[in-house]
Amino acid sequence: MSALTTGGTVGLGIRRMSASKEPDTTVKSYPDLAILVDISSCIGCKACEAACQQWHDLTPPIMTPEEVVQRKIAGYQSHPDLRPDLFMLMKFNEGETSRGFTWFITKYQCMHCREPGCLIACPSPGAVIQYQNGVVDFDHSKCIGCKMCLVGCPFDVPRYDANNKPWKCNFCIDRVEAGLEPACVKTCPTNCLTFGLKEDMVEKGKKIVERLKNMGYPNAILYDPPGVNGTGYMYVLPHGDHVKDYNLPENPRIDASIGLWKGPLKWIGSVALWGTLLGAFLQLVLWGPIRVLGGKEEKSEEG
């Protein structure tokens, strides 16, 4: 089944929303979409980066003098890091492996986690949404600018503009809904980016990994971290023993504290609040208001 025939799944509904009840499990579910990034065939041309900026009508960011200095350290990177007007960035890092020196190249953007930390952490109803095809997006009209989505993101992705609104890769959801490939996939000259159903991309990734191992890359892996229940962007890493050198976390997962403050601690806080209000009410009814006379607290004579 071609991904182009499933691209319009976003029009069929939303899977999850931030600070909202879990979706009805009786509603028909749709297959996840994904992009496979084969680092072994990436030449670092940054065509995907340029296509992203063009499709989203983003003005290439002007670097400050400090960022220019950082760029010298970053090597071939067009910018030191993501920005609210830079949704994806090709990152370069030179390092040594058992096969000698190499470039660790990474296409860096929102990973579209199947268990999105940004959605779980967000306290504003509907500000973060996950479509039925697994794509994660923001609704800025409902965003309160609290930056909790960045706290919840194990990949440190969302970037904020002057209005404290978060921006990131949205998987070219408008193109996908129209049955087209994301802009980055469309423009890749070496076909190192493949767009399709998640299960198909996993199988293709595994085959590439096996081919790499037969070619003398024994540590090749398919990066699809289980700590976030898998991701919408998956990577074939020829040097799987150097995950950090690819600027990727080795075992990303949602911080347990987020589940606590939105779960048990939230209820404990509610109980404490209502308990305090109830105590104040009983104090007023049973003993009357407390008056301060001469620097000392005294109960009213009515009590």
Side-chain angles (χ1 to χ4, degrees):
M1 186 176 183
S2 172
L4 297 182
T5 64
T6 62
T9 53
V10 61
L12 298 177
I14 293 175
R15 182 181 298 178
R16 300 173 66 182
M17 292 193 303
S18 58
S20 303
K21 293 182 178 179
E22 292 296 322
D24 187 353
T25 56
T26 61
V27 176
K28 182 179 179 181
S29 179
Y30 295 89
D32 287 340
L33 300 180
I35 292 176
L36 177 66
V37 185
D38 178 13
I39 300 298
S40 67
S41 61
C42 177
I43 59 175
C45 67
K46 298 191 284 292
C48 54
E49 186 178 316
C52 177
Q53 291 182 348
Q54 183 179 32
W55 180 256
H56 294 287
D57 195 23
L58 300 172
T59 302
I62 299 176
M63 290 186 289
T64 64
E66 292 78 12
E67 289 174 328
V68 171
V69 174
Q70 293 178 27
R71 183 187 176 188
K72 292 180 180 178
I73 300 174
Y76 292 110
Q77 287 181 205
S78 60
H79 204 272
D81 205 352
L82 294 176
R83 294 169 49 111
D85 53 359
L86 187 67
F87 294 173
M88 71 140 294
L89 175 69
M90 290 299 296
K91 287 193 172 185
F92 297 81
N93 185 23
E94 188 177 17
E96 186 175 9
T97 70
S98 58
R99 296 173 60 93
F101 281 93
T102 188
W103 279 110
F104 298 103
I105 306 175
T106 313
K107 183 180 181 296
Y108 185 60
Q109 73 289 299
C110 171
M111 298 292 285
H112 296 276
C113 306
R114 293 313 179 235
E115 191 69 18
C118 57
L119 186 149
I120 294 173
C122 178
S124 179
V128 185
I129 55 180
Q130 184 178 44
Y131 297 114
Q132 287 285 1
N133 57 12
V135 174
V136 181
D137 201 3
F138 291 140
D139 184 346
H140 290 114
S141 66
K142 299 176 181 177
C143 174
I144 59 176
C146 67
K147 298 187 179 181
M148 284 304 299
C149 55
L150 180 58
V151 175
C153 177
F155 295 95
D156 189 35
V157 167
R159 294 295 183 269
Y160 300 86
D161 60 19
N163 297 315
N164 269 342
K165 301 297 183 181
W167 296 89
K168 68 176 188 64
C169 161
N170 66 356
F171 216 81
C172 286
I173 194 64
D174 49 350
R175 290 178 59 90
V176 171
E177 186 177 9
L180 302 173
E181 298 172 308
C184 58
V185 178
K186 182 68 176 179
T187 196
C188 181
T190 62
N191 292 321
C192 82
L193 302 179
T194 309
F195 170 63
L197 297 178
K198 168 83 175 189
E199 57 183 10
D200 294 341
M201 296 302 98
V202 170
E203 289 304 313
K204 180 173 182 177
K206 290 179 179 178
K207 291 179 181 179
I208 297 176
V209 167
E210 286 303 314
R211 175 169 58 83
L212 287 173
K213 289 183 176 180
N214 293 333
M215 293 173 58
Y217 293 87
N219 298 313
I221 63 168
L222 175 63
Y223 185 82
D224 184 24
V228 290
N229 200 24
T231 51
Y233 273 93
M234 297 179 295
Y235 298 81
V236 172
L237 305 180
H239 304 285
D241 54 336
H242 290 266
V243 173
K244 288 186 177 180
D245 288 327
Y246 286 104
N247 295 290
L248 294 169
E250 291 184 336
N251 186 26
R253 60 181 65 250
I254 302 170
D255 195 317
S257 63
I258 294 175
L260 287 175
W261 79 260
K262 294 200 72 176
L265 292 182
K266 180 179 179 180
W267 286 106
I268 293 174
S270 297
V271 171
L273 173 62
W274 286 107
T276 301
L277 294 176
L278 179 60
F281 176 75
L282 292 177
Q283 161 70 31
L284 182 64
V285 172
L286 299 179
W287 294 284
I290 296 177
R291 298 176 180 177
V292 179
L293 298 175
K296 296 183 179 180
E297 293 185 357
E298 296 183 6
K299 295 181 181 177
S300 64
E301 295 180 357
E302 293 83 4

